[in-house]
Amino acid sequence: MRRPRRLRGCAGCGRGTGRRVLAAAEAARSRPRARGAPAAARAARLRARCAAMARPPGPSRGVWVPLFWLLLAGPAACAASPGDDGAGPGGRGPRGRVRGDAGADEAVRRHDSSYGTFAGEFYDLRYLSEEGYPFPTAPPVDPFAKIKVDDCGKTKGCFRYGKPGCNAETCDYFLSYRIIGADVEFELSADTDGWVAVGFSSDRKMGGDDVMACVHDDNGRVRIQHFYNVGQWAKEIQRNPARDEEGVYENNRVTCRFKRPVNVPRDETIVDLHLSWYYLFAWGPAIQGSITRHDIDSPPTSERVVSIYKYEDIFMPSAAYQTFSSPFCLLLIVALTFYLLMGTP
């Protein structure tokens, strides 16, 4: 048996490649040789096959097509929202956390809970219509500012009727006035659930008087109305000079605030406030928003005409506190004191 010859020209082949070349040579030797084929041609074919096996395989033309489609589909796959990440078990949640991790799941639950709270507060059913659009909200209503009595006699004029030392919340009747630009602002308050009014009169009697009244109706609102006294009857006048009206009914008291111009066109039912008038003070019950007779038979009035340009703080004691101020009572007290000092004969 003849020893196999070592092949030349295959120095670059690796160990594995050499074995494959030897196996190929043995297979070629076992085949019947073609008659007349020179040995040099066979050696050239073997060297070519060895060199082909030693070279790394080059990319084929068909590989570029799937690679191109993969590059196109890559950005779309990477742009998925965090909410879709890790939808299935073992996926990745927000920020690349692996599902199943206790810390990651707790963080995700906190995030979902906080977002749900925010969404629930922002899209509350109280503020959404059936179509899902927010309802227009009315502007907030400012509360009625309390009447300040510390300014009486300084920056505004005041009339108080009731207990000595009373204020706008405790007097039986309270009125204040002050000039603001071309208007006069009035504040009225009385211990009643019906109406409170002030009249401007040329005398101290009822009749032919311009009256501004604050009326508490059945709906809980306080409306400013304009009246004209015809004898002992108050007739409502549609022309109302009041503006910037506000009123409130609290603690069984009707309180209001409004303005009216100082100068008005000549009218029988509306007087010019730049002139001096007697002020008539009245209050009483109301039925279905309509005023009725005043509470007392002889309502108080100002003792002299009032000028809106002069601020005074005038107190008038109510009937319960007028007992010792009448001349008869004073004379009786003096007589009784003299009798006690002189003694009986």
Side-chain angles (χ1 to χ4, degrees):
M1 182 176 179
R2 190 169 54 180
R3 183 178 179 183
R5 231 175 5 175
R6 179 180 178 87
L7 296 176
R8 296 177 182 178
C10 197
C13 298
R15 183 176 302 175
T17 306
R19 285 197 296 267
R20 289 195 296 273
V21 172
L22 292 176
E26 292 292 339
R29 192 179 300 115
S30 64
R31 290 196 297 270
R33 294 184 179 180
R35 293 180 179 180
R42 289 198 303 272
R45 285 197 300 270
L46 288 176
R47 284 195 298 268
R49 183 175 294 181
C50 177
M53 291 182 178
R55 284 198 307 267
S60 62
R61 186 176 298 177
V63 175
W64 290 101
V65 176
L67 209 58
F68 176 76
W69 287 110
L70 182 61
L71 290 174
L72 289 179
C78 295
S81 64
D84 295 335
D85 273 349
R92 288 185 176 271
R95 307 191 184 211
R97 294 188 180 93
V98 179
R99 293 287 183 179
D101 186 11
D105 291 343
E106 183 179 357
V108 172
R109 281 195 298 270
R110 285 201 302 268
H111 172 77
D112 294 342
S113 176
S114 62
Y115 179 80
T117 304
F118 166 76
E121 293 175 354
F122 187 78
Y123 296 104
D124 196 335
L125 292 177
R126 293 176 299 174
Y127 304 105
L128 292 180
S129 62
E130 295 179 358
E131 293 80 8
Y133 297 103
F135 283 120
T137 57
V141 179
D142 294 334
F144 186 88
K146 292 185 177 182
I147 300 175
K148 298 180 180 180
V149 297
D150 296 338
D151 299 334
C152 292
K154 301 175 183 177
T155 60
K156 63 182 179 181
C158 298
F159 285 92
R160 314 186 199 195
Y161 177 85
K163 181 181 179 180
C166 65
N167 55 34
E169 298 178 358
T170 57
C171 289
D172 294 347
Y173 179 95
F174 179 89
L175 167 73
S176 73
Y177 62 90
R178 63 172 177 168
I179 298 177
I180 301 179
D183 298 330
V184 182
E185 181 185 74
F186 290 96
E187 295 174 319
L188 285 78
S189 181
D191 185 13
T192 180
D193 61 354
W195 57 273
V196 55
V198 56
F200 310 102
S201 176
S202 57
D203 52 25
R204 300 180 64 184
K205 299 180 180 179
M206 186 175 178
D209 314 311
D210 179 5
V211 179
M212 301 297 300
C214 306
V215 185
H216 175 224
D217 59 20
D218 294 341
N219 296 325
R221 298 173 301 179
V222 175
R223 297 176 290 106
I224 314 300
Q225 294 179 307
H226 181 217
F227 294 89
Y228 182 76
N229 286 337
V230 181
Q232 299 294 316
W233 175 60
K235 176 184 178 181
E236 184 176 0
I237 306 299
Q238 296 301 322
R239 182 187 175 189
N240 192 345
R243 68 179 98 184
D244 296 341
E245 310 168 10
E246 53 180 328
V248 64
Y249 175 71
E250 289 180 346
N251 301 324
N252 199 39
R253 294 188 69 89
V254 175
T255 307
C256 64
R257 181 182 293 114
F258 62 90
K259 298 176 184 176
R260 61 173 281 173
V262 176
N263 299 297
V264 295
R266 185 177 182 84
D267 192 308
E268 181 183 2
T269 61
I270 303 177
V271 301
D272 279 336
L273 293 179
H274 74 280
L275 301 175
S276 298
W277 305 90
Y278 287 100
Y279 282 15
L280 311 179
F281 314 115
W283 64 98
I287 300 177
Q288 297 181 353
S290 300
I291 65 175
T292 59
R293 182 177 174 81
H294 37 72
D295 280 346
I296 54 181
D297 293 336
S298 299
T301 63
S302 61
E303 297 182 355
R304 58 182 182 272
V305 292
V306 179
S307 171
I308 60 173
Y309 302 104
K310 184 177 181 181
Y311 296 155
E312 297 180 286
D313 187 10
I314 299 176
F315 171 74
M316 299 173 291
S318 60
Y321 300 95
Q322 292 178 1
T323 303
F324 297 102
S325 61
S326 62
F328 177 77
C329 291
L330 291 177
L331 182 61
L332 181 61
I333 292 174
V334 171
L336 182 59
T337 303
F338 180 79
Y339 178 76
L340 293 176
L341 292 176
M342 296 297 297
T344 56

